Amino acid sequence: GENVEQHPSTLSVQEGDSAVIKCTYSDSASNYFPWYKQELGKRPQLIIDIRSNVGEKKDQRIAVTLNKTAKHFSLHITETQPEDSAVYFCAASTSYNTDKLIFGTGTRLQVFP
Amino acid sequence: NAGVTQTPKFQVLKTGQSMTLQCAQDMNHNSMYWYRQDPGMGLRLIYYSASEGTTDKGEVPNGYNVSRLNKREFSLRLESAAPSQTSVYFCATRVGETEAFFGQGTRLTVV
């Protein structure tokens, strides 16, 4: 079955710097890759997603890149702000014969003023 | 619209007790999921249901059972709770390969 690995587990950056979180997946049939943000005590919420027919997607200060050959995708946050501090999860799913949605282990991002 | 509603929000059980976590959605989504969240372990899939009447095991199904009662409701049952099942449980729903919407979570403590 699908396995999603996520690194790093914690990440500390200065306000204004960039942050990069990386994930790898094992199932080559996976074709949908969302990223979720979870603030303390709250539920995870989608911030950006990418499908396997696209290599990069941007939304203001956040971007996601996908390398299907390497089975690797990354989240990039530029000009970080204190309110970006949260836990970020990557995930992977495939519609082939199943509707599983498997998450990585999470990255705790701290942005210091 | 309430979205995804979980009950209860908090629960303390004694080892060996049973309980059912309820999840209901008014989003008309086909797929529903149960995850548990533990520190450093991320969101681990317990069971999921791709449509009414079907359920499948996820990554950590042992000690749990589920029922997809209808399109709206997906319940998670602990038959004999163990301290290792202390966790935060999230229900989620989605339609196809799109955004998953999460409930507010149930914090379960087994003593």
Side-chain angles (χ1 to χ4, degrees), chain A residues 2-4 25 30-34 73 90-94 100-104, chain B residues 94:
Chain A
E2 176 68 278
N3 182 51
V4 178
Y25 61 98
S30 290
N31 49 14
Y32 175 68
F33 307 93
F73 59 113
C90 62
S93 80
T94 172
K100 272 186 181 179
L101 179 62
I102 301 296
F103 283 82
Chain B
R94 67 174 184 162

Side-chain angles (χ1 to χ4, degrees), chain B residues 36-48:
Chain B
R36 60 177 289 173
Q37 183 173 26
D38 305 291
M41 303 293 285
L43 292 157
R44 291 185 291 170
L45 181 63
I46 305 171
Y47 271 94
Y48 67 104

Side-chain angles (χ1 to χ4, degrees), chain B residues 10 19-20 32 35 37-38 46 87 96 100:
Chain B
F10 302 94
M19 80 161 292
T20 300
M32 298 187 74
Y35 293 91
Q37 183 173 26
D38 305 291
I46 305 171
S87 189

Side-chain angles (χ1 to χ4, degrees), chain B residues 14-33:
Chain B
K14 293 183 179 179
T15 298
Q17 287 186 318
S18 62
M19 80 161 292
T20 300
L21 281 65
Q22 306 285 356
C23 177
Q25 52 109 352
D26 61 5
M27 307 180 80
N28 201 33
H29 287 173
N30 293 326
S31 299
M32 298 187 74
Y33 306 82

